[in-house]
Amino acid sequence: MLSIREAKIGDLLQMQQTNLWCLPENYNLKYYLYHLLSWPQLLFVAEDHKGKVVGYVLAKMEDDDDPPHGHITSLSVLRTHRKCGLATKLMSSSHSRMVECFDAAHVALHVRRSNRAAFHLYSQTLAYHIRDVEKGYYADGEDAYDMRKTFDDESKAAVNQSLESLLPPSRPDFSNEQPPSIS
């Protein structure tokens, strides 16, 4: 059984290890910690039944621009756990929190031009579109697609509706009723 949950500080080493196994762009532990301390509600992990982290999403909010928007820094799922929908669930969890917590207008990311599987996930499954091509974006000189997903009013309403479903039923309002008279 696999589950998605918010990342905790104890997950950072496993997140980094997943990154090292799967991606050519690697980050030092301090970078993961910075994300976790700054935007804890945007980082999610996928874990197996033994509690092993098998995937993660590292995300942040861009502070300098208006309207507020998010950025996906890194997404990784171990090869042994791909094609299970984990990447989609991790991304959707982070997207929802961007809207819920920061009222994000959109989210952006970069993806290698050669990474066809990731490009398909972003463009076909998650409805990102290409904004630009950044020449030589990666350390090895490969170009990146600069991609964006806009959170329209419909997707924001869906987030709000799912949040409302988590709330307990409201109590009846008796504030306008008169107390019974005792005679």
Side-chain angles (χ1 to χ4, degrees), residues 67-91:
H69 66 276
H71 183 83
I72 302 297
T73 304
S74 182
L75 171 70
S76 183
V77 175
L78 294 178
R79 293 188 191 287
T80 55
H81 290 78
R82 292 184 184 169
K83 300 290 185 189
C84 300
L86 291 178
T88 300
K89 290 176 185 170
L90 288 163
M91 291 288 284

Side-chain angles (χ1 to χ4, degrees), residues 36-93:
L36 186 68
L37 293 174
S38 301
W39 305 280
Q41 59 276 72
L42 301 182
L43 280 65
F44 288 87
V45 295
E47 66 179 1
D48 67 12
H49 65 284
K50 294 180 181 177
K52 178 185 174 192
V53 172
V54 297
Y56 73 87
V57 61
L58 189 66
K60 65 180 184 171
M61 292 302 294
E62 297 289 359
D63 298 328
D64 56 348
D65 291 329
D66 193 37
H69 66 276
H71 183 83
I72 302 297
T73 304
S74 182
L75 171 70
S76 183
V77 175
L78 294 178
R79 293 188 191 287
T80 55
H81 290 78
R82 292 184 184 169
K83 300 290 185 189
C84 300
L86 291 178
T88 300
K89 290 176 185 170
L90 288 163
M91 291 288 284
S92 296
S93 297

Side-chain angles (χ1 to χ4, degrees), residues 6 40-42 61 68 94-104 159-160 163:
E6 271 189 28
Q41 59 276 72
L42 301 182
M61 292 302 294
S94 193
H95 291 162
S96 293
R97 286 292 180 84
M98 287 175 185
V99 171
E100 172 191 342
C101 299
F102 300 99
D103 195 28
V159 167
N160 289 333
L163 289 175

Side-chain angles (χ1 to χ4, degrees), residues 116-141:
R116 301 308 302 164
F119 180 77
H120 183 270
L121 169 72
Y122 301 139
S123 63
Q124 302 302 310
T125 306
L126 296 171
Y128 279 75
H129 65 274
I130 298 172
R131 284 191 55 231
D132 199 4
V133 175
E134 294 200 26
K135 300 285 186 194
Y137 178 82
Y138 291 100
D140 63 3

